[in-house]
Amino acid sequence: MSALTTTPAAAGPALKVTQGRVLRSEFTKFRSLRSTAYTLLTAVVLMVGLGAVFAAVTASQYHTFNAAARASFNPITTSLGGVMFAVVAFGVLGVLVASGEYSTGMIRASLTAVPRRLPVLWGKLAVFAGVIFPVSLIASFISFFLGQVLLNSHHIGVSISAPGALRSVVGAALYITVAGLIGVSLGALFRNTAAGIATFAGVFFVIPPLASLLPSSISGHLTPYLPSNAGAALWGGAQNAPNALAPWTGFALLCGYAVILIAAAAWRLRRSDA
């Protein structure tokens, strides 16, 4: 027998495909992409930077507010105002996590290694949520405390112990994470980066202001149930919207949208070839 011939025992046992190994693989792919770091940095800068801008401008102009504007002023949501823009960047990253492999063709190798397919989707969702939530939570706390420092220069800031403050700060991170998971599911469902990003941006950034232009008898009953407004109820972004949902009710509705889209992405992954 040739010296180069190996026996099955010498080759060692084949590695079994497990969800844990799929998770490690997906995390390796996630952190190795340059777009991941750039998009995360952009999202954090938008969240913290714009929140600081909103707080600074509000603080400098507060003396010009009339009684109605002062009554509706909320220092918590003012400092978290950057969430409205950062969520688009986080959503774009979510789309890229899923659609990027389809554009490069790498998805074929992933599904060959994991023939049951669905563990790949679960791995992408888990890795994304596991990274995005702590990053957005840290950014949310920074936004809050920096904003309150700027607002306190005019004695209109609050502490983290103020009613609704901690819930809003943590809620902003929860909102961003679930919205990002919607982005992942859109990327897996459409398998096209442009289509996924356009749909996400339309749902979270275009449709809400357009819906507000409808007659009040329609918009008042429609806008609270849009994904962006439903999720924003948790961190206070929809506080002035008519018929706004209760914080946890809105967040539950946002999670419901995410579950439906994830189920649709899973169905397509099982039924359609890559």
Side-chain angles (χ1 to χ4, degrees), residues 210-226 242-243:
L210 291 179
S212 66
L213 299 178
L214 296 172
S216 58
S217 59
I218 299 176
S219 64
H221 293 87
L222 172 64
T223 54
Y225 299 95
L226 295 175
N243 303 321

Side-chain angles (χ1 to χ4, degrees), residues 118-159:
L118 288 185
V120 174
L121 178 60
W122 308 148
K124 291 183 184 299
L125 292 167
V127 167
F128 183 86
V131 172
I132 297 307
F133 179 71
V135 170
S136 59
L137 184 62
I138 292 171
S140 185
F141 272 103
I142 294 174
S143 297
F144 174 81
F145 286 115
L146 178 58
Q148 299 315 308
V149 168
L150 295 170
L151 292 171
N152 274 325
S153 64
H154 288 70
H155 309 290
I156 53 176
V158 297
S159 69

Side-chain angles (χ1 to χ4, degrees), residues 96-113:
L96 290 172
V97 165
S99 66
E101 285 196 69
Y102 285 97
S103 62
T104 61
M106 186 182 294
I107 190 65
R108 298 185 183 91
S110 297
L111 297 183
T112 299

Side-chain angles (χ1 to χ4, degrees), residues 157-206:
V158 297
S159 69
I160 192 65
S161 61
L166 184 59
R167 187 257 300 157
S168 295
V169 173
V170 177
L174 289 172
Y175 167 64
I176 286 172
T177 302
V178 176
L181 292 177
I182 289 177
V184 176
S185 62
L186 288 174
L189 182 61
F190 292 124
R191 302 181 177 184
N192 179 279
T193 300
I197 292 176
T199 302
F200 185 90
V203 169
F204 280 84
F205 213 63
V206 178

Side-chain angles (χ1 to χ4, degrees), residues 240-269:
N240 294 323
N243 303 321
L245 300 176
W248 293 109
T249 301
F251 181 65
L253 179 59
L254 180 67
C255 291
Y257 286 125
V259 169
I260 291 171
L261 287 172
I262 290 170
W267 178 85
R268 187 177 185 193
L269 184 60

